[in-house]
Amino acid sequence: MEKYFELTSKLIKALENSKINHLDISFEGFALTLDKSISNENPNHTSFKNIDINTENSLENNEEDNENVEIFKAPLLGIFYKAKDPESEAFAEVGKTLKKGDTMCIIEAMKMMNEVKAPYDCKIVECLVQNEEFVEYNKAIFKLEKIC
């Protein structure tokens, strides 16, 4: 993972001094999007308005045979928790069936505990993140199988 930070740092420096405003790059399960904007107050200053790093394997290339399986992405960034506390049972284990509105996990953001609810009746196929892992907005966190 550290090699990606070094690469990202080098790409940011290179992009700052170029006329390119947007860069998308992906290889070996690493994806990076850089988008820069020129500050109106100081045209010599570059600020990056979007930096998105994704080091998980490309989920689109590993589609399930079952067309009812969908990727559920984090609705906000923060710390991912499988249960309300370390001694409690996880909200969503692989194989568990949930009804629409059941709590799947908690994401802590700015010291607020946000319950993430199931968007529809579903079965948990796979949890794609570890407990207490930091998740970015829109990061894939579950594979869900829709139950009709």
Side-chain angles (χ1 to χ4, degrees):
M1 183 69 150
E2 199 164 307
K3 67 180 178 181
Y4 295 123
F5 290 119
E6 184 178 335
L7 173 65
T8 302
S9 177
K10 289 179 180 179
L11 287 171
I12 288 172
K13 287 178 184 172
L15 191 61
E16 279 180 326
N17 299 323
S18 75
K19 293 182 179 183
I20 298 171
N21 289 324
H22 185 85
L23 174 68
D24 285 317
I25 187 170
S26 64
F27 61 94
E28 298 175 357
F30 172 78
L32 174 69
T33 300
L34 296 173
D35 190 1
K36 71 178 182 178
S37 62
I38 305 298
S39 171
N40 290 337
E41 297 100 33
N42 185 356
N44 296 324
H45 176 72
T46 303
S47 64
F48 289 90
K49 63 181 178 180
N50 180 25
I51 299 177
D52 181 24
I53 301 172
N54 181 2
T55 58
E56 63 193 69
N57 290 331
S58 175
L59 297 169
E60 291 74 27
N61 294 338
N62 298 328
E63 290 180 8
E64 296 290 321
D65 291 335
N66 186 340
E67 59 189 43
N68 286 335
V69 174
E70 294 184 1
I71 302 300
F72 181 83
K73 296 181 179 181
L76 69 159
L77 65 89
I79 307 295
F80 174 91
Y81 295 104
K82 290 184 176 185
K84 63 180 176 180
D85 57 57
E87 291 81 35
S88 296
E89 183 180 324
F91 294 114
E93 292 287 346
V94 172
K96 186 173 183 178
T97 301
L98 301 173
K99 295 283 186 196
K100 180 179 179 178
D102 287 351
T103 302
M104 296 192 316
C105 65
I106 293 174
I107 297 180
E108 177 186 4
M110 297 175 52
K111 302 202 186 242
M112 298 276 303
M113 298 297 189
N114 302 281
E115 290 186 358
V116 178
K117 307 287 185 176
Y120 40 77
D121 293 353
C122 60
K123 180 175 143 186
I124 306 296
V125 175
E126 186 178 352
C127 181
L128 302 170
V129 294
Q130 299 297 316
N131 194 44
E132 298 183 10
E133 181 179 333
F134 180 80
V135 295
E136 294 283 342
Y137 167 74
N138 225 18
K139 176 181 174 133
I141 57 175
F142 288 108
K143 283 187 181 179
L144 304 177
E145 181 179 351
K146 274 189 178 181
I147 298 174
C148 299

